[in-house]
Amino acid sequence: MAALVRLETRLSRLREEYFLKNRSVDEDRKIVYKAAVKIQSWFRGCRVRAYLRYLNKMAISIQKWWRGYQSRRYFRKMIKTAYFIMKMNFYNEMAVRIQKRWRGYYVRKYTHNYYALKKYLEAISLNNEIVRNELQEYAEMNEKKKKKKDLEKKEKEKKYKARKMHYLLSTEQIAGIYNSPFRKFPDPMELLLRQSKPLSHRQQQPKSPFTYDLYDWPTCKRPPAFPTGEPLPPIGRQKPQGPFRDAAEVLRQRYKPLEPTLRVAASISSPLEKAREEMKREEWRKCIHDNEFLPFSSYHKNEKYELSIHASEKIGKETYGIKHFREVQPNKWIAGKNSCIS
Amino acid sequence: MFEYTIFLCVILFFFIFQLFSTHEKMSRKTAVLQQCCPRANFISVEHLRFLQALITWKSVISLLRPLLLDVVPTIQQTAALALGRLAYFNDDLAEAVVKEDILPQLVCSLSEQNRFYKKAAAFVLRAVGKHSPQLAQAIVECGALEALVICLEDFDPGVKEGAAWALGYIARHNSELSQAVVDAGAVPLLVLCIQEPEIALKRIAASTLSDISKHSPELAQTVVDAGAIAYLAQMILNPDAKLKCQVLSALSQIAKHSVDLAELVVEAEIFPVVLTCMKDSDEYVKKNGATLIREIAKHSPELSQFIVNAGGVAAVIDCIGSCKGTVRLPGIMMLGYVAAHSENLSMAVIVSKGIPPLCTCLLEEHEDHIKAAAAWALGQIGRHTPEHARAVAETNVLGTLLSMYMDIRSSEDLQLKAKRALKNILQKCTYLPALEPLLHDAPPNIMKHIVGQFSKVLPHDSKARRLFVTSGGLKKVQEIKAEPGSLLQEYINTINNCYPEEVVRYYSPGYSEMLLERVENYQPVL
């Protein structure tokens, strides 16, 4: 029981103790709870943060890896393009060198060929010389011709004049004007006069008033004449009696020349036949022998043996004129051998 | 009655003919007078007499008209001849002939009458048609063309000649009249006329073809289609000078229009026969031959090349050297055209010794247009490369060109051509000895080019620099006043930079005064 008393004494303090205890525990609990909660939350936070950090690290790692991959790819591409560009530049440069050489060669050989141009210009000079020489010759020839023509004309004129003035020729007694006695030798005109024949008197053609203007046309040869028909009949002729036709008409009719048509004028055989005949004649003339030309394969079949002249004649001299004279045909004789007619 | 009319007619004709010889002299005299004193307001006695004669002759025309219908054919022919002569010398009388309605009568009787009348009637038509296009139009309107073309088919060569001549004079004026002549069917008949043996007929037919084809390419094509070129080309060999003139003129009128026509003419194998024409003794044959070659050369470089290969350039150069006056002009122009096409052709001209004749032309000729042509040709030769410019400059012709440009008396055309030629040559000229004389006289616009050329050559050539100084060129350059910033100033600066400063200062104007001033201002060190 002592325990119980002690308990009872403590009982009054029990409630307070209990309450206080509970309260302190409660407060402790609260504090502890809060502390626990804090610790837990902090821990949880740590954990989550650790997790997030981890996630972050992983994400970074992935991204890092991916970005590296992309950039390497890009870099590779860049390198490829740079390489390609380098290659192309190189090729271009080489191509430029080739083209440079080729273009220089081509232009120097074909377009602006210096040596060909030089040769061409030399050839032109040569050609010009030739042309100039030829033209010079031509001009000289022309001049010579002209001079010759002039000379000939003058000669002709002189001769004509000499012929007209033949009467000025000197005679034995009287010296002509070109043969003065004080000269050593006669004038050339005198010699010309001696050589020339005097002109005959020719009827001078009456100069018609229309000559100059219509003659100006070089192609007009005759002046226009008054219309002249037949000459008038002689005066005092007896007029023929009766209603005869005019004599001139009759004569014209009688002596009218034959005007055959083309068909009549041409020969009977047409030109074609004539040509054919001509051809035949030509061929016959040209032919050497009349034997037909046989092909060689059938030559020996149609061969005719021809005796030579020696074999076809008798041996010995010709008997005609020596042994017998006339031709004798005894079967035609009427009488016999002993008749007197033979 | 019959004898009386003959007598009257003969007397009238004598009268007309006599007065015509004096009439001719009078008309020539008045023409000369009009040339000499164009502003003379006085009427000379001859002028008055001429006018009086004119008035009387107009009344004579109305008298002659009924004689055309006379019974006797000789009177008709003589009356027609008289009318023709009247109309030939004066265009007033020709108008009077047209007004009196004589033409339809003539045209009707052209188809019926004998050949002497046809000749006289063709002569009248030719005389009327030659003066002006209006009169020719009047002839065309009264239907004369068909009648004339029928005359072209006549047997007598004199009739053909008269008809062809009349057609030629009508077609000469302008292209519509030419077209009318062609539409009347004249061209094939003219080509037949060319083949006839008579020289006069050939001449006239060639001249008519030339007149027809000169107006337009279509007309020339019509003439070519009728086959004229082959016959014309054959006739170049004919020795008659006037015929050659006409034939060459016809071919050049055909060739001048286009490249195809020129090629057709060349295909007729006229080269090298045409070159013999350049050595002919007649001046006009040479001129027409040169014209033909020029018309062919101007179209394309290939044709020029062909001509050069055939030796045409040498022939033309000889021709220029041997002639004087306007006869040279087509030859000069031909050289210019050939040289203008390409530098190889220009070098060919230089190699054929083309420049000396051109220089003599420039110096000797009196006419401005020939000098202008020579200047132009030299410019075309020298403008291609420095070699060409050097070849031109070596003949010292630049000074002549400059003086021609500066001369006030030369015509504008000459000045312009000389200036252009000078510019073209100077822009390529590196031959300094020829440029130096020009420094002294040139005007500013030419000076710019000269100084420019110096500024291009001097920086690279030390000997040239020395020569430039010793010949006084540097001094002259310093004296030139140029606006700062202009091209001329830049060139001068370039030249000055080629020399050390002292030299430049030494040659600048006023150097001696500057030195003397320095002497004055100098304080001697005692």
Side-chain angles (χ1 to χ4, degrees), chain A residues 13-29:
Chain A
R13 272 195 316 215
L14 194 75
R15 205 186 267 154
E16 277 174 41
E17 271 182 39
Y18 184 69
F19 179 69
L20 278 168
K21 227 193 210 154
N22 275 347
R23 195 191 203 161
S24 66
V25 165
D26 205 46
E27 284 174 357
D28 279 338
R29 201 189 50 197

Side-chain angles (χ1 to χ4, degrees), chain A residues 19-220:
Chain A
F19 179 69
L20 278 168
K21 227 193 210 154
N22 275 347
R23 195 191 203 161
S24 66
V25 165
D26 205 46
E27 284 174 357
D28 279 338
R29 201 189 50 197
K30 274 193 183 145
I31 292 168
V32 167
Y33 174 73
K34 280 191 185 143
V37 163
K38 219 179 200 171
I39 291 173
Q40 281 177 4
S41 76
W42 187 263
F43 179 70
R44 284 204 175 109
C46 276
R47 229 182 43 188
V48 165
R49 271 195 290 279
Y51 180 61
L52 285 176
R53 219 179 299 132
Y54 169 74
L55 279 179
N56 216 6
K57 238 175 46 179
M58 292 303 118
I60 284 176
S61 157
I62 289 175
Q63 284 171 3
K64 191 169 71 175
W65 178 82
W66 176 253
R67 281 181 191 159
Y69 170 72
Q70 285 290 79
S71 331
R72 271 188 294 278
R73 242 181 63 179
Y74 178 65
F75 177 67
R76 253 182 240 123
K77 242 193 234 171
M78 248 173 54
I79 284 215
K80 263 199 195 142
T81 47
Y83 176 61
F84 180 73
I85 287 172
M86 222 172 68
K87 261 204 318 200
M88 288 316 284
N89 279 346
F90 178 72
Y91 290 158
N92 282 348
E93 226 173 277
M94 294 301 121
V96 162
R97 281 193 205 171
I98 294 174
Q99 287 172 6
K100 188 168 78 170
R101 290 291 185 106
W102 164 254
R103 282 182 191 164
Y105 164 76
Y106 186 79
V107 155
R108 268 181 231 113
K109 181 151 179 181
Y110 294 108
T111 315
H112 292 300
N113 193 343
Y114 176 70
Y115 299 104
L117 186 65
K118 225 165 88 161
K119 252 200 266 182
Y120 173 68
L121 289 172
E122 279 170 21
I124 287 207
S125 324
L126 265 172
N127 194 21
N128 283 349
E129 279 304 313
I130 295 175
V131 165
R132 278 187 175 131
N133 283 342
E134 280 183 14
L135 287 179
Q136 186 73 21
E137 278 174 27
Y138 172 78
E140 279 171 15
M141 201 178 71
N142 267 2
E143 265 199 53
K144 268 194 228 161
K145 262 196 232 167
K146 215 171 120 185
K147 268 196 211 154
K148 214 172 99 176
K149 243 170 69 175
D150 280 339
L151 264 168
E152 273 176 14
K153 204 168 142 195
K154 273 196 209 144
E155 283 292 324
K156 218 171 122 179
E157 262 187 41
K158 264 202 223 165
K159 286 204 176 121
Y160 180 65
K161 253 175 132 185
R163 284 185 77 184
K164 266 171 71 167
M165 299 197 295
H166 69 94
Y167 49 85
L168 292 174
L169 185 64
S170 59
T171 60
E172 284 290 325
Q173 293 287 356
I174 307 175
I177 57 171
Y178 291 115
N179 193 8
S180 158
F182 301 110
R183 288 170 73 96
K184 275 191 243 169
F185 45 81
D187 199 73
M189 193 65 186
E190 172 74 22
L191 297 169
L192 208 58
L193 283 172
R194 283 189 201 160
Q195 285 169 359
S196 53
K197 238 175 47 174
L199 281 175
S200 59
H201 287 293
R202 227 186 316 169
Q203 289 296 336
Q204 289 293 328
Q205 276 171 351
K207 243 198 143 189
S208 83
F210 311 111
T211 40
Y212 26 74
D213 37 7
L214 289 179
Y215 269 169
D216 278 347
W217 285 310
T219 47
C220 174

Side-chain angles (χ1 to χ4, degrees), chain A residues 111-112 117 120-122 124-125 127-129 131-132 135-136 138-139 142 146 209-210 212-214 216-227, chain B residues 6 13-14 74 77 81 85 115-116 119-120 123 157-158 161 198 200 244 275-276 279 305 308-311 314-315 317-318 344 347-348 351-353:
Chain A
T111 315
H112 292 300
L117 186 65
Y120 173 68
L121 289 172
E122 279 170 21
I124 287 207
S125 324
N127 194 21
N128 283 349
E129 279 304 313
V131 165
R132 278 187 175 131
L135 287 179
Q136 186 73 21
Y138 172 78
N142 267 2
K146 215 171 120 185
F210 311 111
Y212 26 74
D213 37 7
L214 289 179
D216 278 347
W217 285 310
T219 47
C220 174
K221 299 283 184 270
R222 276 191 344 253
F226 286 105
Chain B
I6 297 178
F13 189 75
F14 263 127
T74 324
Q77 289 155 19
L81 201 60
R85 291 230 151 199
R115 61 189 170 154
F116 301 107
K119 265 188 269 208
F123 175 48
E161 194 184 322
E198 288 85 18
K244 268 200 268 215
L275 303 179
T276 55
K279 278 285 184 182
Q305 180 87 44
V308 167
N309 290 350
I317 290 172
D318 284 348
N344 292 345
M347 190 48 100
V351 156
S352 316
K353 306 192 190 65

Side-chain angles (χ1 to χ4, degrees), chain B residues 215-436:
Chain B
H215 297 285
S216 86
E218 292 82 28
L219 289 163
Q221 188 66 45
T222 328
V223 171
V224 165
D225 289 338
I229 292 189
Y231 300 112
L232 288 171
Q234 277 168 15
M235 290 203 288
I236 296 182
L237 296 161
N238 200 303
D240 185 54
K242 287 196 197 138
L243 176 61
K244 268 200 268 215
C245 258
Q246 298 294 351
V247 163
L248 290 168
S249 146
L251 284 170
S252 61
Q253 303 289 6
I254 293 176
K256 80 179 183 192
H257 293 288
S258 80
V259 187
D260 302 314
L261 288 168
E263 278 177 3
L264 277 173
V265 172
V266 166
E267 273 167 25
E269 287 170 32
I270 49 174
F271 288 98
V273 179
V274 155
L275 303 179
T276 55
C277 298
M278 309 295 289
K279 278 285 184 182
D280 203 275
S281 43
D282 190 70
E283 299 249 308
Y284 288 102
V285 173
K286 283 196 224 183
K287 184 175 176 192
N288 283 0
T291 315
L292 173 60
I293 302 184
R294 172 190 84 190
E295 301 295 355
I296 293 178
K298 80 179 186 196
H299 288 290
S300 81
E302 288 84 22
L303 285 168
S304 298
Q305 180 87 44
F306 177 74
I307 293 179
V308 167
N309 290 350
V313 172
V316 168
I317 290 172
D318 284 348
C319 172
I320 294 179
S322 61
C323 305
K324 298 257 180 285
T326 39
V327 181
R328 279 178 172 175
L329 183 61
I332 298 175
M333 290 179 72
M334 179 256 177
L335 288 177
Y337 279 126
V338 167
H341 283 297
S342 86
E343 54 179 57
N344 292 345
L345 288 169
S346 176
M347 190 48 100
V349 171
I350 294 176
V351 156
S352 316
K353 306 192 190 65
I355 302 185
L358 287 173
C359 297
T360 43
C361 265
L362 210 57
L363 291 167
E364 287 177 356
E365 288 291 332
H366 305 295
E367 304 268 314
D368 271 356
H369 61 272
I370 305 180
K371 287 205 261 201
W376 170 75
L378 282 166
Q380 293 302 327
I381 294 178
R383 78 184 165 111
H384 297 279
T385 72
E387 308 296 326
H388 297 81
R390 185 193 174 120
V392 174
E394 269 171 357
T395 55
N396 296 330
V397 77
L398 293 177
T400 326
L401 281 172
L402 188 64
S403 61
M404 255 176 232
Y405 171 55
M406 309 284 288
D407 194 356
I408 320 169
R409 287 171 303 164
S410 23
S411 63
E412 276 189 39
D413 183 47
L414 175 57
Q415 279 182 350
L416 182 68
K417 292 226 160 77
K419 177 173 87 143
R420 277 215 197 115
L422 207 52
K423 264 197 187 165
N424 283 338
I425 298 176
L426 283 173
Q427 276 168 349
K428 289 285 162 86
C429 185
T430 53
Y431 184 59
L432 297 180
L435 289 182
E436 286 191 31

Side-chain angles (χ1 to χ4, degrees), chain B residues 103-115 117-119 121-122 125 143-144 146-152 154 159:
Chain B
L103 291 178
Q105 233 171 317
L106 275 176
V107 169
C108 284
S109 28
L110 248 183
S111 29
E112 301 154 12
Q113 297 282 355
N114 66 1
R115 61 189 170 154
Y117 188 82
K118 281 191 196 172
K119 265 188 269 208
L125 289 171
E146 285 79 21
L148 283 171
V149 167
I150 295 177
C151 279
L152 270 180
D154 200 277
V159 172

